[in-house]
Amino acid sequence: MSAYVLVLYYSRNGSTLEMAKQIARGVEQVSGIEARLRTVPAVSPTTEASEPAIPASGAVYCTTEDLKHCAGLVLGSPTRFGNMAAPMKYFLDGTSSHWLNGDLINKPAAVFTSTSTLHGGQESTLLSMMLPLLHQGMVITGIPYSEPGLNSTRTGGSPYGASHFAHGDTPTKLSDDEIDLCQALGKRVATLALKLQL
């Protein structure tokens, strides 16, 4: 099995998906490792509601095996009241077996998010998404200020992880800085994943 970075996301309106694709492109810039794009199903307050086993479009749903065998993880979710969306939280709540077995210890991890308002909780979402990854023993990485986009961005981007300002309910095009920072984050996690495997 080839080494891979799991780019795991939940996207409601498409912006987080677009970020995930750019992060995967960054991973693919590193020789010797590949990106594996996965999503999580929506959750519903209706107990009879269920998602199909395979989504109608986009990435397939993440399995426990996808998570267990990754060399690194980049986790993304839109912001919901300054925190990750419920589908991602629900998925992470089901990873106790990985915690018990130490499956993710010493693997690099990073986070990304999208908000519909500029100050809608990007940094609190990024920080709160790190908490379960720290409990799993993962090595958290962000974006260093050696990346020029952190100093020039007027949209998204943070040293805590990649972010996007989505301007409302319809997905907006990622800015050039946001694209650069997404790719830089993917490349950084991939590079660290290969180094930490040795």
Side-chain angles (χ1 to χ4, degrees):
M1 180 187 315
S2 299
Y4 63 90
V5 171
L6 178 62
V7 182
L8 177 59
Y9 71 92
Y10 173 72
S11 188
R12 179 81 179 205
N13 295 312
S15 294
T16 312
L17 167 60
E18 290 307 312
M19 294 181 74
K21 289 177 180 177
Q22 293 299 329
I23 290 166
R25 285 188 180 132
V27 170
E28 297 284 345
Q29 291 173 19
V30 178
S31 180
I33 196 162
E34 60 189 42
R36 183 173 292 184
L37 206 58
R38 295 290 186 264
T39 190
V40 296
V43 294
S44 170
T46 306
T47 56
E48 285 108 28
S50 64
E51 294 286 327
I54 299 172
S57 63
V60 299
Y61 295 133
C62 188
T63 68
T64 57
E65 293 300 300
D66 288 326
L67 187 60
K68 178 179 180 177
H69 297 294
C70 73
L73 172 66
V74 189
L75 188 69
S77 170
T79 293
R80 293 293 183 265
F81 301 103
N83 205 332
M84 74 184 89
M88 186 58 72
K89 178 70 166 67
Y90 183 80
F91 177 83
L92 292 173
D93 284 348
T95 62
S96 295
S97 63
H98 297 302
W99 175 72
L100 288 169
N101 294 329
D103 294 332
L104 301 175
I105 291 173
N106 293 331
K107 295 180 181 181
V111 291
F112 64 102
T113 192
S114 176
T115 59
S116 60
T117 58
L118 190 56
H119 301 289
Q122 287 187 358
E123 291 182 349
S124 63
T125 300
L126 294 171
L127 290 167
S128 63
M129 286 195 327
M130 292 177 190
L131 297 177
L133 306 179
L134 287 165
H135 277 263
Q136 292 280 6
M138 300 192 86
V139 179
I140 304 299
T141 184
I143 302 173
Y145 273 96
S146 57
E147 291 298 329
L150 279 185
N151 293 304
S152 62
T153 185
R154 295 296 175 259
T155 52
S158 161
Y160 308 117
S163 62
H164 169 62
F165 174 35
H167 306 286
D169 289 336
T170 57
T172 53
K173 185 179 175 186
L174 301 180
S175 72
D176 290 343
D177 286 327
E178 289 170 343
I179 289 170
D180 290 345
L181 293 171
C182 284
Q183 290 184 9
L185 186 61
K187 187 175 181 180
R188 187 163 196 234
V189 172
T191 301
L192 290 170
L194 289 174
K195 289 181 179 180
L196 290 172
Q197 275 191 324
L198 301 176

